[in-house]
């Protein structure tokens, strides 16, 4: 896997994109479009800062207590989650119908895992439509 590149574009590909922009737009129109791009990036940054400020004012002092790293979706690698689930034993150790793993962040976030008891049939509501 390559290094951390923006949008998975390497140095050579970036040079090729710049050359293509020079050829397609021409040297006379390129500064105008570059200025428009910079203005668009500034606008997006201002929108993000405004949204952050609005959330900060609405949440009040609780905003400082939030662990933003925990909410980062990039930390959830499906391969790692599956690998950890396959390595850990999933069999219940007691006669309880719930299994909780305190070391599992996902289980503590979602709640206890409900294990089906073969002696007890699935509940069925005869009056349900």
């Amino acid at each position: 896997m390559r290094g951390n590149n923006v949008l998975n574009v390497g140095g050579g590909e970036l040079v090729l994109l710049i050359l293509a922009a020079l050829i397609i737009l021409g040297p006379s129109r390129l500064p105008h479009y570059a200025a428009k791009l910079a203005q668009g990036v500034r606008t997006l940054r201002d929108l993000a800062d405004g949204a952050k400020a609005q959330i900060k004012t609405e949440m009040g002092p609780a905003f400082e207590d939030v662990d933003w790293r925990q909410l980062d979706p990039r930390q959830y690698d499906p391969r790692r989650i599956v690998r950890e689930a396959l390595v850990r034993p999933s069999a219940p150790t007691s006669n309880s119908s719930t299994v909780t793993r305190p070391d599992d962040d996902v289980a503590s976030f979602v709640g206890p895992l409900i294990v089906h008891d073969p002696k007890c049939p699935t509940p069925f509501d005869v009056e349900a439509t």
Side-chain angles (χ1 to χ4, degrees), residues 22 49 58 60 116 120 125:
L22 277 172
D49 289 341
E58 289 179 3
H116 178 67
C120 179
D125 186 5

Side-chain angles (χ1 to χ4, degrees), residues 3-128:
N4 259 344
N5 296 327
V6 178
L7 298 174
N8 241 357
V9 176
E13 295 164 341
L14 186 62
V15 170
L16 221 117
L17 286 173
I18 292 172
L19 284 174
L22 277 172
I23 292 170
I24 292 171
L25 297 176
S28 61
R29 291 187 292 177
L30 190 60
H32 173 70
Y33 285 108
K36 279 185 136 181
L37 178 66
Q39 182 182 8
V41 169
R42 266 187 248 114
T43 303
L44 285 175
R45 188 175 13 175
D46 291 343
L47 284 172
D49 289 341
K52 184 178 177 182
Q54 182 180 358
I55 289 173
K56 194 175 209 175
T57 58
E58 289 179 3
M59 287 184 70
F63 183 80
E64 304 301 327
D65 297 336
V66 176
D67 182 17
W68 296 107
R69 290 176 293 157
Q70 182 184 6
L71 301 174
D72 187 7
R74 292 175 290 184
Q75 72 176 343
Y76 298 107
D77 181 22
R79 293 171 292 193
R80 180 185 55 85
I81 293 170
V82 169
R83 190 175 326 117
E84 288 176 359
L86 291 175
V87 170
R88 290 190 183 135
S90 61
T93 57
S94 66
N95 291 337
S96 168
S97 64
T98 61
V99 176
T100 57
R101 296 181 224 156
D103 61 332
D104 191 357
D105 293 336
V106 176
S108 64
F109 177 72
V110 174
L113 177 66
I114 305 298
V115 179
H116 178 67
D117 185 10
K119 298 175 197 169
C120 179
T122 306
F124 179 72
D125 186 5
V126 293
E127 295 178 8

